[in-house]
Amino acid sequence: MSKFYITTPLYYVNDEPHIGHAYTTILADVIARIKKLQDNDVYFLTGTDEHGQKVQEAAKKRNVQPKEHVDEYVKRFKATWENLNIDYDYFIRTTDKNHTERVKQILADLYKKGDIYFDEYEGLYSVSEERFITEKEKEEGNFRQIKKIKEKNYFFKMSKYQSNLIKHIESNENFILPKSRRNEILGFLKNDLNDLCISRPKSRLAWGIELPFDKEYVTYVWFDALINYISAIGYNNDNEKFNYYWPADYHLMAKDILTTHCVYWPTMLMSCNISLPNTIFAHGWWLMDNTKMSKSLGNVVKPLDLADKYGSDALRYYLMRNMVLGQDASFTIESFKKRYNSDLANDYGNLVNRIFILISKHFENSIPEKGKYDLDDNDFIKNIENLTNLSIQNYSNIKIHDGIENTISIFRTVNKFLEDKAPWKTIKENKNIAGTTIYLSAEALRIGTVLLYPIIPEKSKKILNAMDCCPKDDTTFGFLKENSSINVIKNIFPRIED
Ligand code: MSP
């Protein structure tokens, strides 16, 4: 059994989670479930980023203390993940004592080592992004609320690790994925790296982890938050666990936080003499009317509103199927309904109804016995096996949307097979032939349902249980037992009517 450690970003608790946060978390959950089914020892980490200016401002707006604010908002994240069937192993909060202690310890070590130094700095500061930016970054126009600030601060010698980082990226093709993001970071690293300002004077920001070597300062929120990926699995606390799970197999996120993960984080790890994560994967953005869905733009869709109305599986399915991993996708309620009705209600849901009704009507609620296969039956089995293999391959390569499309093709193939073979007609002349058709169709339905389990765990389990099967079952054709009994379920994916 091999270990598989996967993480999501820690979300800011300045507001409730939206579809964008839900997407990364569902994606991590889907990958974790796929890996679990393949018998990996999976550790799936998510959590909340609770320090820093954004959170301090959100608390101030609500007229409450930051701690009171985060304690309340963290519940909304946890409740959302529960509702969306997110099966994480650990939820870390950056205000957890274990985490804050690890951060302080690392700061103290790096200060002692000489990788953190005190200096006066005058530069451009983006209040919205909470960091100093370069003139070039200002010109590129991606930063807001820019001020000129002159301040004494602590700096991390990020520049010292620049050439080692470039070497690492160049010699590890899968370190940053997709490839386009890797090229982006290599392009960024062509310019000299500045050292990283890792402190904020308390006069400006009080809500953070105090520096162990200077009471007048708190830690820059990113230097604090990134450390979660190692503090959560026992760094400097439970070394056995840490050595087992580290390095992370996948750090998942969207492209907005690529630089912090691909430049700040690896250089911090290098300074700590810790190996680097295997893969940093940045997916695209969910857009609303061509702009990024984000709290600050006020164009967010709340995942729970959709999950409450249509079920969490419907939302999980849509998000996984409609985003090509790595590219941006547009969220519209119309595309949500269209996708649901065409794939889940029509292709899949109708097939489930059809097969269950045929078995209950003609075979007393038990899976028919298969007779001799004819040429069409053999072709059908071959087609289903090909689609199954393709689907598994795509899931393994994290091409989730392609894997889903292959699985839905299985259902389309079965629907066509049933129409061609018309067992509701042949049953009158030859029950044996009709039984074979229905067995083969039910078996393909079972395989497709097992393949969809990571995406739609609730409905998939329900259908498999009704067939006396389970999500961990084999996807080899012919696994379904003849004569096993079924419990008829009705209307598993009711159509969404306008
Ligand atoms: N707190 C930092 C991360 C620290 S990780 C050590 C942060 N938080 S965040 O709340 O802003 O979350 C950003 C992440 O949320 C993105 O990288 C992505 O995973 C997810 N998304 C937020 N909006 C999104 C979209 N519109 N589309 C897709 N994903 C989005 O950054």
Side-chain angles (χ1 to χ4, degrees), residues 212-223:
F213 40 80
D214 193 333
K215 283 189 171 24
E216 298 304 314
Y217 290 85
V218 296
T219 313
Y220 168 45
V221 68
W222 275 100
F223 201 90

Side-chain angles (χ1 to χ4, degrees), residues 63-104:
N63 243 329
V64 296
Q65 289 303 309
K67 183 71 172 89
E68 196 183 321
H69 171 84
V70 297
D71 285 349
E72 192 184 321
Y73 272 70
V74 74
K75 288 188 198 140
R76 304 188 190 198
F77 277 84
K78 285 188 173 172
T80 304
W81 301 156
E82 197 182 327
N83 269 285
L84 298 182
N85 249 315
I86 306 297
D87 190 17
Y88 55 77
D89 291 283
Y90 190 60
F91 188 104
I92 187 168
R93 302 178 57 183
T94 53
T95 50
D96 290 341
K97 190 156 178 262
N98 174 59
H99 173 76
T100 56
E101 278 179 2
R102 296 292 82 74
V103 172
K104 284 184 180 177

Side-chain angles (χ1 to χ4, degrees), residues 8-14 18-25 48-51 54 77 94 129 221-222 224-229 252-258 260-261 283-288 291-295 299-300 323 328-329:
T8 73
L10 298 196
Y11 306 111
Y12 289 126
V13 276
N14 52 348
H18 61 68
I19 291 286
H21 306 123
Y23 175 74
T24 316
T25 313
T48 40
D49 191 349
E50 303 192 355
H51 293 124
K54 283 188 211 283
F77 277 84
T94 53
E129 295 305 308
V221 68
W222 275 100
D224 154 4
L226 286 162
I227 289 173
N228 92 87
Y229 299 132
L252 280 186
M253 69 212 62
K255 57 187 176 182
D256 52 339
I257 50 177
L258 195 68
T260 48
H261 280 81
H283 59 73
W285 282 333
W286 279 97
L287 309 173
M288 287 279 275
T291 39
K292 183 188 173 215
M293 192 188 287
S294 88
K295 173 189 174 331
N299 60 351
V300 300
M323 183 176 265
D328 291 346

Side-chain angles (χ1 to χ4, degrees), residues 100-115:
T100 56
E101 278 179 2
R102 296 292 82 74
V103 172
K104 284 184 180 177
Q105 204 171 352
I106 288 173
L107 283 164
D109 288 349
L110 301 194
Y111 186 59
K112 201 164 146 209
K113 182 179 173 182
D115 270 3

